[in-house]
Amino acid sequence: MSYPSWSIEEATRVLSPLKNVQGPVLIALQAVQERFGYVHEDAVGLIAETFNVSRADVHGVLTYYHDLRTSPAPARSIQICVAEACQSVGSRELVTAVEKKLGKKIDETYADIEIKSAYCFGNCALGPSAMVDGELIGRASVEKVTA
Amino acid sequence: MSTVIYVPNDSAAISIGADQVAALIAQEAVKRSLDVTIIRNGTRGALWLETLVEVLTSQGRIAYGPVQPEDVSSLFDSDFLQGGAHKLSLGLTEEIAWFAGQDRVTYKRVGLIDPLSLKDYEAHGGLVGLRKAITQNGSEIVAEVTASGLRGRGGAGFPAGIKWKTVLDAPADQKYVCCNADEGDSGTFADRILIEADPFTLIEGMAIAAVAVGATQGFVYLRSEYPTAITRMRDAIAIAEKAGVLGSSVLGSKHAFNLEVRVGAGSYVCGEETAMLESLEGKRGVIRSKPPLPAIAGLFGKPTIINNVLTLASVPAVIADGAAAYAARGTGRSLGTQVFQLAGNIARGGVIETAFGITLETLVHTFGGGTLSGKPLRAVQIGGPLGAYFNSSHLGVSMDYESLAAAGGMLGHGGVVLFDDSVDLAQQAKFAMEFCALESCGKCTPCRLGSTRGAETIQKIISGVDVPANKLLLLDLCDVMTDGSLCAMGGLTPLPVKSAMNNFPEDFTGGAKK
Ligand SMILES: NC(=O)c1ccc[n+]([C@@H]2O[C@H](COP(=O)([O-])OP(=O)(O)OC[C@H]3O[C@@H](n4cnc5c(N)ncnc54)[C@H](O)[C@@H]3O)[C@@H](O)[C@H]2O)c1
Ligand SMILES: Cc1cc2nc3c(=O)[nH]c(=O)nc-3n(C[C@H](O)[C@H](O)[C@H](O)COP(=O)(O)O)c2cc1C
Ligand code: SF4
């Protein structure tokens, strides 16, 4: 997925429909991330100003949620479910095999690809499950995940 | 005449190729100059048969599955449009034992209809409950829900009618209905499937709740891990608004009810109702202390009904068919049906809706067919990450709230996860602690720090360091977490840990590892 680069004008435009939302901070952060792929540091001040809340509040929300990110995502993304139902059909082994094939470690940062642990995609009868570039994969294998 | 073919658009089915199958069927039909209409229904819940393709014939819907993309041309060769014989032929869908053995109430329409066709929805009994509710007063609706015995399907099993009555009786200028669709538990997917397959049922259930207590605004808090469900729910809401089911006058009545989807941001603890409220208010998902109950002071401090997807989706049937019909099912104080989810290392996984009181054995073996690997079944975790691990001596347990509690576990959201004999319960216990450490909202020390300590202690046991002393320490730590945690995240994490220790002591000896 490709995103436009950060611009305060575009961000202002993204936030404007949210003016009347009660409790807008999380939604505002999500909207910014949806538009730009991440939350630029300047978005914190912009959201605080737009909705008349403190920067500390915005920052607190930004750092609380696993989904919100403060730097652009690498071009490729692999999320592997490592929760119980997928463990029972070999997700631990799948993680090891993917790490070996790509020569990278899960949950570490790389410029070109992100390999992350995930906790349930609701596909627990067809595990192991993975989400690759936004696409859900059932009965995941090293081949399917790294294809 | 055009032949109707059903190919599910459920995300689980798509995850193993349903979209390719649908596209190939369309292509092949064109190539062979055959007139077909492909309807993308929701899954019927037999995920082990996906992609389950059905053809509508004069005898009914004939099923083929599991269909792989490479099977499509041979299906045409076998004249499947007339229900022709094929190695994947399963006969009439409703006669497949796996479906015939179920009692679908909440899931009545799931997989039968086009999820976004309001016409299909009404043709299959939709809106009957809401039409009745708008002619009743709030107390009558609440009394019906109470009499049905319907309890919270999110896990705690609190009687829905009593919760609704609290909200009804709370005077306020504004009330809310919030649907908890955070479904964080691994091994559960019934909320997702209901939303993807029959979203109007949830809308109808929420509208009935709103009419009952006088709420005018509703929210569906849906996890970000469910992109297909988010889109489907939003589409369904737009259709319902256009048709006047939602909006300033619900089905032409004096009641207004607007509904909005809010997307979670990857936090398990935000499934806890007060953390969900904080998140809906745009804040960090930190647990609030109760009291006040959300029913008295919930979203933005106003009286709020919070119910799980399945609780709300069961309401239309309760109102349409009457409380007695619902309460006639089940056992003891667990009345009605439960939508069980068979998951993990299972041969025939998916959704089984039956009356409470079915045995674990029947679920796991008769329906589930045992493990996927074919290796012996060793452990079953019931009720998600905060639920207990059972061994095969527990297979006789009746699947209802009270029996599972008596057996040292909990039903939770109805997830049943199977593990074969390669599982190491000490590793599972360690994971339970690690997950708690990862997801803790941070408010209570026993949950925030105790869980990290717990994982370290289990690692010591696994490595054979001072095993007896570390086991005692772990049990102590579990007690501190149970007693010193504000919510069930820290409070129930000891359940999987202690049940693993009790039911699988051989995995906690620090010695021989598989
Ligand atoms: N579905 C999932 O994905 C998932 C994930 C984790 C945990 N859980 C479940 O969550 C459960 C714990 O939930 P909880 O902490 O909300 O339980 P709880 O017992 O505190 O509350 C249950 C519900 O009843 C309401 N309630 C309680 N007393 C009331 C009263 N007198 N009047 C009106 N309403 C009242 C509460 O507000 C709440 O909505 C666990 O048992 C677990 O099974 C589910
Ligand atoms: C850590 C934690 C996570 C929870 N996650 C969910 C969830 O994902 N979905 C849900 O319906 N209830 C969840 N619950 C239970 C809710 O707090 C609440 O009891 C429920 O939504 C009430 O609806 P019900 O009465 O219809 O079950 C969770 C509870 C805890 C402690
Ligand atoms: S038990 Fe854990 S998740 Fe629950 S309030 Fe305490 S710290 Fe937060």
Side-chain angles (χ1 to χ4, degrees):
Chain A
M1 227 181 287
S2 75
Y3 296 99
S5 52
W6 165 257
S7 97
I8 207 108
E9 295 73 34
E10 176 62 9
T12 307
R13 213 187 53 74
V14 165
L15 295 179
S16 73
L18 303 176
K19 284 262 163 63
N20 294 322
V21 171
Q22 223 181 337
V25 176
L26 177 56
I27 286 207
L29 288 163
Q30 287 172 320
V32 166
Q33 175 153 316
E34 194 173 315
R35 185 72 187 115
F36 300 102
Y38 72 109
V39 180
H40 189 275
E41 57 185 326
D42 292 349
V44 173
L46 179 67
I47 290 172
E49 215 174 280
T50 310
F51 301 105
N52 203 16
V53 292
S54 77
R55 291 177 67 102
D57 282 345
V58 180
H59 190 259
V61 176
L62 175 58
T63 51
Y64 185 80
Y65 291 97
H66 299 309
D67 281 0
L68 297 174
R69 53 185 314 140
T70 51
S71 58
R76 291 210 59 201
S77 147
I78 299 178
Q79 290 175 275
I80 301 175
C81 177
V82 297
E84 290 87 343
C86 284
Q87 290 167 359
S88 77
V89 280
S91 65
R92 289 188 182 95
E93 292 73 14
L94 176 63
V95 167
T96 310
V98 170
E99 285 181 326
K100 193 165 159 228
K101 175 149 181 211
L102 300 177
K104 301 203 151 91
K105 285 276 170 207
I106 195 163
D107 296 324
E108 285 183 12
T109 317
Y110 303 97
D112 56 331
I113 190 166
E114 181 169 76
I115 313 168
K116 277 198 341 194
S117 306
Y119 298 87
C120 199
F121 295 110
N123 196 21
C124 321
L126 296 173
S129 299
M131 183 87 84
V132 177
D133 298 329
E135 190 185 328
L136 182 62
I137 299 191
R139 298 278 187 240
S141 58
V142 195
E143 295 73 35
K144 284 199 203 173
V145 168
T146 59
Chain B
M1 212 190 63
S2 189
T3 308
V4 172
I5 302 175
Y6 294 90
V7 186
N9 60 5
D10 172 84
S11 51
I14 293 171
S15 83
I16 50 159
D19 280 350
Q20 288 97 302
V21 168
L24 286 170
I25 290 176
Q27 260 177 42
E28 199 69 30
V30 170
K31 214 156 75 189
R32 299 181 190 224
S33 309
L34 295 166
D35 185 7
V36 304
T37 304
I38 298 174
I39 294 180
R40 302 300 302 267
N41 57 332
T43 179
R44 301 195 60 148
L47 297 170
W48 58 289
L49 289 176
E50 295 296 354
T51 300
L52 182 76
V53 172
E54 294 174 276
V55 179
L56 184 60
T57 70
S58 52
Q59 306 129 64
R61 281 159 80 151
I62 294 187
Y64 297 84
V67 176
Q68 310 287 336
E70 54 272 22
D71 299 318
V72 168
S73 80
S74 73
L75 280 172
F76 278 91
D77 293 342
S78 308
D79 201 14
F80 83 126
L81 294 184
Q82 310 304 323
H86 184 274
K87 66 178 197 301
L88 298 177
S89 172
L90 300 162
L92 288 170
T93 317
E94 66 237 40
E95 288 176 2
I96 298 171
W98 203 87
F99 291 115
Q102 302 197 33
D103 179 12
R104 289 201 166 177
V105 178
T106 309
Y107 258 49
K108 173 160 68 185
R109 282 171 292 265
V110 163
L112 291 179
I113 61 170
D114 171 352
L116 292 177
S117 164
L118 199 52
K119 202 170 125 233
D120 271 13
Y121 181 68
E122 289 202 66
H124 285 80
L127 293 183
V128 174
L130 182 57
R131 288 216 157 85
K132 195 158 155 191
I134 54 176
T135 67
Q136 296 177 315
N137 65 38
S139 326
E140 285 171 325
I141 302 170
V142 170
E144 196 76 18
V145 172
T146 307
S148 75
L150 177 64
R151 293 167 66 176
R153 299 286 184 249
F158 189 83
I162 296 178
K163 193 188 292 187
W164 288 24
K165 179 150 182 10
T166 312
V167 179
L168 175 66
D169 292 344
D173 54 350
Q174 172 76 57
K175 295 180 186 178
Y176 296 101
V177 177
C178 294
C179 172
N180 191 340
D182 201 48
E183 196 162 61
D185 283 3
S186 170
T188 68
F189 42 83
D191 296 347
R192 178 186 65 69
I193 286 181
L194 187 285
I195 289 174
E196 291 186 17
D198 190 17
F200 293 124
T201 294
L202 177 56
I203 292 176
E204 184 178 350
M206 291 185 76
I208 293 171
V211 166
V213 301
T216 51
Q217 178 66 48
F219 292 97
V220 180
Y221 188 83
L222 232 166
R223 67 202 315 255
S224 60
E225 291 84 347
Y226 286 1
T228 307
I230 292 166
T231 312
R232 191 115 351 120
M233 193 69 217
R234 288 195 163 132
D235 290 348
I237 289 172
I239 293 166
E241 278 169 358
K242 227 170 140 197
V245 176
L246 294 171
S248 56
S249 164
V250 169
L251 291 175
S253 71
K254 62 179 195 313
H255 303 279
F257 184 55
N258 292 298
L259 192 52
E260 207 181 295
V261 174
R262 287 290 173 88
V263 179
S267 156
Y268 178 77
V269 89
C270 280
E272 194 281 340
E273 57 178 5
T274 62
M276 184 187 87
L277 292 174
E278 290 290 300
S279 189
L280 280 169
E281 292 183 12
K283 303 178 196 152
R284 296 161 67 95
V286 178
I287 307 286
R288 298 178 184 171
S289 28
K290 295 191 276 195
L293 287 165
I296 306 279
L299 189 62
F300 301 110
K302 303 295 182 185
T304 304
I305 288 185
I306 300 171
N307 276 129
N308 174 253
V309 174
L310 298 178
T311 315
L312 290 162
S314 301
V315 167
V318 165
I319 301 299
D321 306 331
Y326 193 78
R329 298 170 161 100
T331 170
R333 294 200 293 119
S334 301
L335 298 180
T337 58
Q338 168 70 37
V339 180
F340 295 103
Q341 298 125 86
L342 298 186
N345 198 324
I346 186 140
R348 299 196 291 262
V351 171
I352 309 284
E353 182 174 4
T354 68
F356 285 99
I358 186 175
T359 64
L360 180 58
E361 168 83 40
T362 308
L363 274 182
V364 160
H365 285 121
T366 312
F367 282 100
T371 62
L372 176 69
S373 62
K375 296 205 252 171
L377 173 68
R378 180 145 188 263
V380 182
Q381 188 180 26
I382 301 176
L386 304 177
Y389 284 99
F390 291 105
N391 63 32
S392 48
S393 77
H394 295 104
L395 285 173
V397 71
S398 160
M399 297 294 283
D400 61 78
Y401 293 106
E402 283 68 35
S403 302
L404 278 165
M410 66 161 189
L411 176 62
H413 188 45
V416 176
V417 177
L418 272 61
F419 294 82
D420 71 13
D421 63 0
S422 63
V423 67
D424 175 348
L425 273 298
Q427 291 292 349
Q428 297 309 117
K430 186 176 146 208
F431 175 78
M433 286 291 192
E434 288 168 346
F435 187 62
C436 181
L438 183 71
E439 295 297 333
S440 169
C441 85
K443 207 162 181 166
C444 326
T445 314
C447 169
R448 179 167 41 98
L449 298 180
S451 51
T452 304
R453 221 31 235 297
E456 288 163 6
T457 309
I458 298 170
Q459 184 53 52
K460 284 188 191 146
I461 296 170
I462 292 171
S463 312
V465 180
D466 288 340
V467 173
N470 276 311
K471 275 163 77 172
L472 282 177
L473 181 65
L474 180 59
L475 288 173
D476 246 18
L477 202 58
C478 283
D479 289 343
V480 173
M481 287 176 73
T482 306
D483 298 338
S485 297
L486 187 56
C487 85
M489 180 81 237
L492 284 179
T493 293
L495 189 57
V497 175
K498 284 167 82 174
S499 60
M501 291 174 82
N502 285 334
N503 297 331
F504 302 88
E506 63 278 19
D507 285 10
F508 292 81
T509 54
K513 275 288 140 237
K514 292 166 286 285

